[in-house]
Amino acid sequence: MTARLMVRGFDIRKSWLDEAAQHDIIAALRPVLRAAPLMRPVTPRGRPMSVRMTAAGRLGWITDASGYRYAAQHPQGTQWPAIPEPVLRIWSDLVSPERMPDCCLINFYGPEARMGLHQDKDEGDFSWPVLSVSLGDDGLFRMGGPRRGGKTESLWLGSGDVVVMGGEARLAYHGIDRIRPGSSRLLPKGGRLNLTLRVVDQGAMEQQPT
Ligand code: MD6
Ligand code: FE
């Protein structure tokens, strides 16, 4: 059973995906991860992130010494694979069938991984929401407001949960404090996968690093 929760403008759909739908997505992600292997990104300040990352779609979000930006190629020099159909379907159902996302960022969390509080602000168009899909182990999701240092609220995201971050929440700070290793059996080797779908837009191919 799915349930809807609104927290600080974050539209949270608990158990939006049933187990069969989750397995379908994992199967569809397997060739994507073969074509575009997960890598450990390094922040512009030279700190390796604890999550591993890759992408699908026209553009992928990357970070390295030259900054955060969207790029048309995986750092290995290949185009990003297409965003799998069952993932696009979630976007059509919850956001819009009129405009498909340009990027599906794929984050993998091992037992020690976390994601510090951040805004998603490298896109050229904030009128579209960012949609996130959680798969595998539970992750403790922290939600704040438009300014760093404001009040926050946390909620465990489980496998199959979907979050739509739009409207007043589009530029809200958010992050993952920790995961609960071993809480799901969806991924044979454990861990948490998070997919975020974004409309990037603007002459994004020429985008300057931030
Ligand atoms: C995560 N999520 O759940 C990290 N970004 O692993 C995000 O950073 C995120 O959940 C934009 C919109 C929704 C999100
Ligand atoms: Fe984010």
Side-chain angles (χ1 to χ4, degrees), residues 105 107 109 115-116 118-121 123 130 132 141 165 170 172-175 194 196 198:
L105 183 65
N107 290 323
Y109 296 70
M115 168 99 56
H118 66 277
Q119 292 171 295
D120 286 25
K121 58 174 185 192
E123 298 72 30
V130 177
S132 105
F141 189 49
M165 194 179 80
R170 177 61 183 77
Y173 277 88
H174 58 279
N194 177 260
T196 44
R198 302 120 187 280

Side-chain angles (χ1 to χ4, degrees), residues 173-185:
Y173 277 88
H174 58 279
I176 294 286
D177 289 349
R178 58 195 161 90
I179 76 161
R180 202 145 50 188
S183 48
S184 160
R185 292 169 51 181

